[in-house]
Amino acid sequence: RQMCIRDRYYFPSRDDLVVAIIEAEAEDELRVIASILSTSKKPEQKLTEMVATLVERWRKESGVVFSTLNLLVLHNKSYVAVYNSIRALYYSALEEIIEQVSPGNTRRHYGSRARVLCSLIDGVPSQVGITNKKAFLAEIEHTALAIAKKQ
């Protein structure tokens, strides 16, 4: 969903505008994740595709939006609820695919693995100057699978 700066006048505050932008970006990413999860591919393929897609998006606009949210949470407690609700949706999607990759574990285990995997993806925007992006992405995908399979 696209918004231009004049849309600011339709929101009670700048914070409300920022929240709307963040939520719109999250909704878009979650739609992409849902489409990947709904395919008939093997769980490992779904996971690596999801990670590759999120990494690619986070190296662009999504990274700017969510890195901004991470900073806002540290300085403005009013963003904590937005952060927590968005994270819960991401964790849920990641837990679903991790359970498919490594069945037979506890919900707590899948939640822990989802948080570690999310931390890996969160760090991507800060990795600037990568010269061999294909190798970098392959290493992230390999690490994501290792995280998901960890007992």
Side-chain angles (χ1 to χ4, degrees):
R1 166 168 84 178
Q2 293 184 352
M3 293 183 210
C4 65
I5 200 67
R6 75 180 188 319
D7 290 341
R8 152 69 173 98
Y9 299 106
Y10 299 109
F11 295 88
S13 71
R14 287 183 184 152
D15 287 334
D16 292 316
L17 173 59
V18 171
V19 167
I21 292 168
I22 291 167
E23 288 176 339
E25 190 67 27
E27 289 170 9
D28 188 44
E29 282 203 352
L30 290 165
R31 273 192 296 276
V32 170
I33 290 170
S35 72
I36 293 168
L37 291 177
S38 68
T39 66
S40 60
K41 296 176 181 175
K42 292 180 181 179
E44 290 83 359
Q45 292 172 313
K46 290 181 189 181
L47 178 63
T48 56
E49 182 178 344
M50 181 190 305
V51 168
T53 300
L54 289 174
V55 164
E56 184 63 30
R57 292 176 64 97
W58 275 63
R59 291 189 64 80
K60 297 178 182 170
E61 291 82 16
S62 291
V64 172
V65 171
F66 294 119
S67 293
T68 301
L69 176 59
N70 288 339
L71 291 172
L72 288 170
V73 167
L74 296 174
H75 301 287
N76 186 335
K77 298 301 179 200
S78 65
Y79 288 95
V80 172
V82 174
Y83 176 89
N84 287 337
S85 67
I86 290 171
R87 283 295 180 175
L89 294 170
Y90 277 90
Y91 294 152
S92 178
L94 288 168
E95 288 170 16
E96 179 183 333
I97 190 62
I98 292 168
E99 183 174 10
Q100 291 175 25
V101 169
S102 182
N105 288 298
T106 65
R107 297 276 17 117
R108 184 176 180 184
H109 174 82
Y110 297 129
S112 172
R113 298 290 87 206
R115 282 168 177 72
V116 171
L117 188 51
C118 210
S119 295
L120 174 68
I121 296 166
D122 286 352
V124 170
S126 65
Q127 303 304 312
V128 296
I130 302 295
T131 55
N132 188 342
K133 291 180 182 173
K134 190 173 184 175
F136 179 63
L137 180 58
E139 183 65 25
I140 290 172
E141 291 171 356
H142 174 76
T143 303
L145 279 172
I147 290 168
K149 291 179 177 181
K150 185 176 187 312
Q151 297 296 320

